[in-house]
Structure formats: structure tokens, C-alpha cells
Amino acid sequence: MRTIDCAVPGSFRDPSGHVFVHDQVLYRAVNLVYRDEYDLLNQSGLYDALVKDGLLIPHEEVSSTVDSSPNIYKILKPEAVPFISYPYEWCFSQLQHAALLTLEIQRRALRYGMMLKDASAYNIQFHQGTPVFIDSLSFERYTEGQPWVAYRQFCQHFLAPLALMSAVDIRLNQLSRVHIDGIPLDLTSALLPWSSRLRFGVLSHIHLHAKSQRQFAAERLSDRSRPVSKNALFGLIESLQSTTERLSCPQPESCWSSYYEDNSYTEDDMAEKIVLVGRILDELAPRTMWDLGANTGRFSQLAGEKGINVIAFEGDPGSSEQHYRTCVKRQDAQVLPLVLDLANPSSAIGWAHEERQSLIDRGPTDVVVALALIHHLAIANNIPFEKIAKFLSDIGHHLIIEFVPKHDSQVQRLLASRIDIFSDYTQEHFEQTFGSCFAIERSVKIGDSGRVLYVMKRR
């Protein structure tokens, strides 16, 4: 009897299998058509080797009764990844590390007589502080002379955005949000500066690659068009790895990456704020937390040290880059920094708006932390308190939020170049509007800063 509850929409394109949820547990079905490749993955020792080194998410085979469709070969229960993030939410170094992981898996697969049949960035997730490959159905048997069919996809999903972020603007990773199957190489080639052609790897894998696609467009160029030796495949991987490693992130300094050193707090006020937030987190004892406007991660790290799983959202790519580098240096398994513009958060995209989930769809979290944020949303982005309160109640059960009064230097900084049309930006109006979505449990002034910290619970 078929007992599947719901299929995960993002997995429908793969004929080898699909992902589904049953009794709130995630499973992966292996279709009969993929039987030989799945058996080879296990019998060759490739699966064990990748899992042992933390490169591939582990799974266990379970009873087929959770999905007894006639075309099912195996049912797998993969280790759960608590939060699914997407490539357009990653900073430069996260995307670079994901690219290098993909190449390392392709290299190892060749040594075991297999290869990756796709190189989608969506096959990577960040789990316990490191990137890991999550699709155990992405492998196929290697045949002598066979080219790497996923070469173009790797270039579009990884190399193109990395080159654009490195040579043009760090914000151009957002093009991956528009182009769900990777940034087209002809577009990448057109956007890159002419000087990028002086770098052999970028010239070969982007500019000349794009030219060859245009040249053979009428024939729909196949990556299988000519035999390629295994040594040549290893050479291709080495070239892609070298090109990827040589791309550097622009200086991550920005107007907000030094916020903790340039704000309206005295040292004593900031110290008091840290203590207050720490005590509140101890009282709430959440398992998960979303830190909105996390900057370079001071309060995310505070929560992570308490064993809380933290997603640290920050709209400024430079700040998020700094935060991620700190997490890598600390080997932090509790905190995941992501790039996200809260005024335009990730939406549901792809086929029928279902392949990639919106931010709200990936919640709610136990507690939302919104420190030094309300003025950016209300004043810099003209978002009314009512809409902010509704959004925050949609994504979290508890809320720790800081109200920043209009006379604060950071608010005045935002108002310096515009007319003050925000007559209702008051503490009274803030409490009234947020009180419609949350029960305000308590509030406390933060030293002499004039700012107030609130603890609220969703109604």
C-alpha cells in the first residue's frame, strides 16, 4: 500500500528517483531505472569512502512499505539537514567551497569507476558547519572515452557566479536566483571585463566555452560529442579546481561590516546588551534561532556557544563573508551565515513556484532575533510596523527585538538624506502594532542608549 504523504517538489526532474516526506520524515526513493548505478555506488566502495570523509550525506535503507510503488527499487532515509539553503543565499567563500567539494567528489568518483552525471549547486548543503553533497543518485558508471556530461552545468552553477562576484560585483550571485539552472555562459562572458580573458582558466571555461555553445547552438552541442580519456578528465578537474581557487573574493569591507565598532552604543551598553540577550536565550532555551540582520555574527556566535542551531541572515554580502570566514576558523558547527535581503527575501521559485522554497516555507524557527534592525526596515525601506510584525510572526514562535528610537544616531544617519515622513515611528506605535501579532512578555532598557529590548511570543 502506498503511504507517501507528499513529494518534495524540487526533486521531480530526476528520473532516477525522488524525495518525499512520510510522517514528517524525509525519504529518498531509488527508482528501478537507477538500480545498476545505485548498486555500483555501494559495491565499488565509493559511497563508504565519501561518507567516511564527510563529503556525502549518509543514509540508511529502510522498509519499502513507506512507498510501495512498483517502480521503486530502494527507499533511503538520509541524515536530516535541519535547514535547506540555496546558492543565491551563499557568500563568495561558501559558493567557492561548494564548487571545490563538487570537483573533489567528481575526482574520487572517477577513481572508483563512476562519475557525477550532474553538478548542480543545489546538490550541496551546509551541514554542521561544512558543505556536504546530498544527492546519492547523482552518480553513474564511467565508460572509457566518456566526457563529463556535467561540465557545462558546473561552469554555470559555480564558475560563472564566482567569476562575476570576483571580477565585477560581489552582489551578482543574485543572478542565480533568476537563472535557476545556473547563469548562462554567454551572459557571463558579456558581463565580465575584457581583462578576464587574460586568465587562462576563465578564458577556457567561460569565454571559449560560451563561444563553442553559440557555434554549435543549431546542433545543440552535446558534451558526449567526442571521446575523452580518463587522464583528460582528471586534467579538466585540475584545471577547474585551479581556476576556482584562484578566484578571490573582493575585499569584504562594507559600510555595515564594521558596525560593532561604529554605532551609538558605549562599551558598557553593548556589554549589557550581550548579557541581556544571553539571559533571554537561556530562559527560552530554543533549539533553533534565526538571527535577522546578523552583521558579522556577534549574537549568532553567542547563541551558537549555547548549543542553539543558528541561521544568521545578513543582507550585506561583505558582512556575511566575514561571518562565514569566522565560522570556518572557529570550526563552528552551530551557525550558518547566509546572505538575505529581508526587504526582498527569497521567494518560492522554479516550476509552478515550488522547486525552491520561500523563507517563510522553511520556518518557523523557535526564536527570531531582530537586533538593530527595525529602523532599517521601517525607515530605509518604508515598511510599516504592521507588516514587519506580521512577517516576523510568520517565521518564529518567540521574538527578541530591539526598538531603536528616532533620536538614535543610526536612525538619524538613515534620515540624513531624506525627508522625515515617519510620524508614526514611535515606541508607542511599535508596541501597539506588534501587540496584535505577539504577546509582549517583557521589555528592558539597554543602559543609557535609549534603545529597548523586547521579548515577545507569537499569539
Side-chain angles (χ1 to χ4, degrees):
M1 179 179 178
R2 185 178 173 88
T3 58
I4 181 172
D5 291 340
C6 65
V8 174
S11 68
F12 76 93
R13 296 181 187 270
D14 188 359
S16 301
H18 61 273
V19 179
F20 65 94
V21 175
H22 174 65
D23 288 342
Q24 298 183 325
V25 177
L26 189 74
Y27 296 95
R28 184 184 294 276
V30 183
N31 291 343
L32 284 170
V33 69
Y34 191 70
R35 176 176 58 190
D36 292 345
E37 282 79 6
Y38 176 77
D39 288 344
L40 180 60
L41 174 67
N42 289 281
Q43 294 166 6
S44 67
L46 177 59
Y47 169 81
D48 289 334
L50 294 177
V51 169
K52 178 183 177 183
D53 290 339
L55 306 182
L56 175 67
I57 202 77
H59 64 246
E60 59 176 308
E61 295 182 5
V62 298
S63 170
S64 61
T65 57
V66 295
D67 188 346
S68 56
S69 303
N71 66 328
I72 299 298
Y73 176 56
K74 298 281 188 180
I75 299 293
L76 313 179
K77 180 184 175 184
E79 181 177 309
V81 176
F83 185 86
I84 300 298
S85 62
Y86 300 127
Y88 43 83
E89 297 170 337
W90 300 343
C91 68
F92 179 92
S93 292
Q94 286 173 310
L95 187 62
Q96 188 177 50
H97 292 167
L100 295 173
L101 171 65
T102 302
L103 293 174
E104 178 60 24
I105 290 175
Q106 167 68 352
R107 178 187 290 110
R108 294 196 185 197
L110 280 172
R111 293 172 181 161
Y112 282 83
M114 301 195 80
M115 65 193 310
L116 286 175
K117 63 181 181 179
D118 63 73
S120 168
Y122 296 100
N123 285 340
I124 307 291
Q125 286 299 318
F126 284 81
H127 183 45
Q128 297 178 350
T130 59
V132 62
F133 200 81
I134 63 169
D135 189 358
S136 52
L137 308 188
S138 285
F139 301 87
E140 66 179 3
R141 183 185 300 273
Y142 168 70
T143 303
E144 185 64 37
Q146 176 184 353
W148 188 24
V149 296
Y151 169 52
R152 176 181 61 83
Q153 190 177 44
F154 177 87
C155 292
Q156 291 185 172
H157 278 240
F158 293 108
L159 205 54
L162 285 170
L164 289 170
M165 294 169 78
S166 176
V168 183
D169 194 295
I170 195 173
R171 295 167 294 182
L172 284 180
N173 191 32
Q174 289 302 302
L175 286 175
S176 298
R177 191 171 168 181
V178 178
H179 300 281
I180 196 170
D181 196 28
I183 304 173
L185 298 184
D186 61 340
L187 175 60
T188 304
S189 180
L191 292 174
L192 285 172
W194 189 92
S195 59
S196 66
R197 290 165 172 78
L198 301 177
R199 307 180 71 167
F200 179 76
V202 175
L203 174 66
S204 301
H205 301 303
I206 293 181
H207 294 295
L208 296 181
H209 195 168
K211 184 178 179 180
S212 70
Q213 285 184 307
R214 291 193 296 269
Q215 181 179 352
F216 295 99
E219 305 171 19
R220 297 194 62 82
L221 176 65
S222 169
D223 289 327
R224 300 178 185 269
S225 57
R226 62 183 63 181
V228 178
S229 69
K230 181 177 282 191
N231 284 339
L233 285 178
F234 281 119
L236 175 64
I237 296 169
E238 291 298 325
S239 177
L240 289 169
Q241 178 180 339
S242 175
T243 301
T244 301
E245 289 176 337
R246 289 176 180 174
L247 292 172
S248 59
C249 179
Q251 177 54 249
E253 288 292 334
S254 70
C255 62
W256 298 114
S257 58
S258 59
Y259 174 80
Y260 294 128
E261 290 74 41
D262 179 23
N263 56 61
S264 58
Y265 284 113
T266 64
E267 289 186 9
D268 288 343
D269 288 345
M270 178 58 78
E272 182 176 343
K273 179 178 174 179
I274 292 171
V275 171
L276 285 172
V277 173
R279 287 175 179 170
I280 294 168
L281 291 174
D282 288 339
E283 294 169 5
L284 296 178
R287 293 179 301 103
T288 63
M289 169 182 137
W290 289 4
D291 188 359
L292 307 184
N295 202 264
T296 54
R298 174 175 294 183
F299 291 93
S300 296
Q301 299 295 335
L302 173 66
E305 291 168 358
K306 297 178 180 295
I308 302 168
N309 290 320
V310 181
I311 310 299
F313 297 105
E314 170 55 46
D316 177 60
S319 297
S320 190
E321 176 74 23
Q322 285 191 29
H323 189 187
Y324 176 69
R325 292 181 184 183
T326 299
C327 288
V328 171
K329 185 177 181 180
R330 290 164 49 106
Q331 297 183 322
D332 196 332
Q334 301 295 132
V335 180
L336 174 61
L338 294 176
V339 179
L340 187 82
D341 178 4
L342 284 172
N344 182 26
S346 300
S347 57
I349 62 173
W351 179 253
H353 305 286
E354 291 182 341
E355 285 189 79
R356 308 292 173 241
Q357 292 183 309
S358 70
L359 178 63
I360 291 177
D361 290 336
R362 287 174 279 170
T365 186
D366 291 339
V367 62
V368 171
V369 173
L371 305 176
L373 177 69
I374 191 71
H375 53 302
H376 292 288
L377 295 176
I379 293 179
N381 290 281
N382 287 45
I383 303 175
F385 283 158
E386 293 86 352
K387 290 188 176 294
I388 299 173
K390 174 62 169 61
F391 173 72
L392 296 180
S393 69
D394 285 340
I395 63 174
H397 296 293
H398 272 90
L399 173 64
I400 303 172
I401 188 168
E402 179 181 14
F403 179 77
V404 183
K406 188 179 284 188
H407 61 74
D408 187 278
S409 63
Q410 296 300 317
V411 179
Q412 290 301 309
R413 178 179 177 183
L414 295 175
L415 289 170
S417 59
R418 61 184 307 178
I419 298 173
D420 184 356
I421 60 173
F422 306 98
S423 58
D424 58 354
Y425 186 89
T426 65
Q427 186 174 349
E428 181 182 8
H429 185 59
F430 168 80
E431 292 181 354
Q432 179 184 355
T433 53
F434 271 74
S436 65
C437 296
F438 294 92
I440 300 177
E441 296 186 333
R442 62 188 171 107
S443 63
V444 57
K445 293 182 179 180
I446 304 174
D448 297 323
S449 68
R451 300 186 178 196
V452 182
L453 196 64
Y454 288 84
V455 181
M456 305 183 185
K457 184 177 182 180
R458 184 171 69 179
R459 291 190 184 277

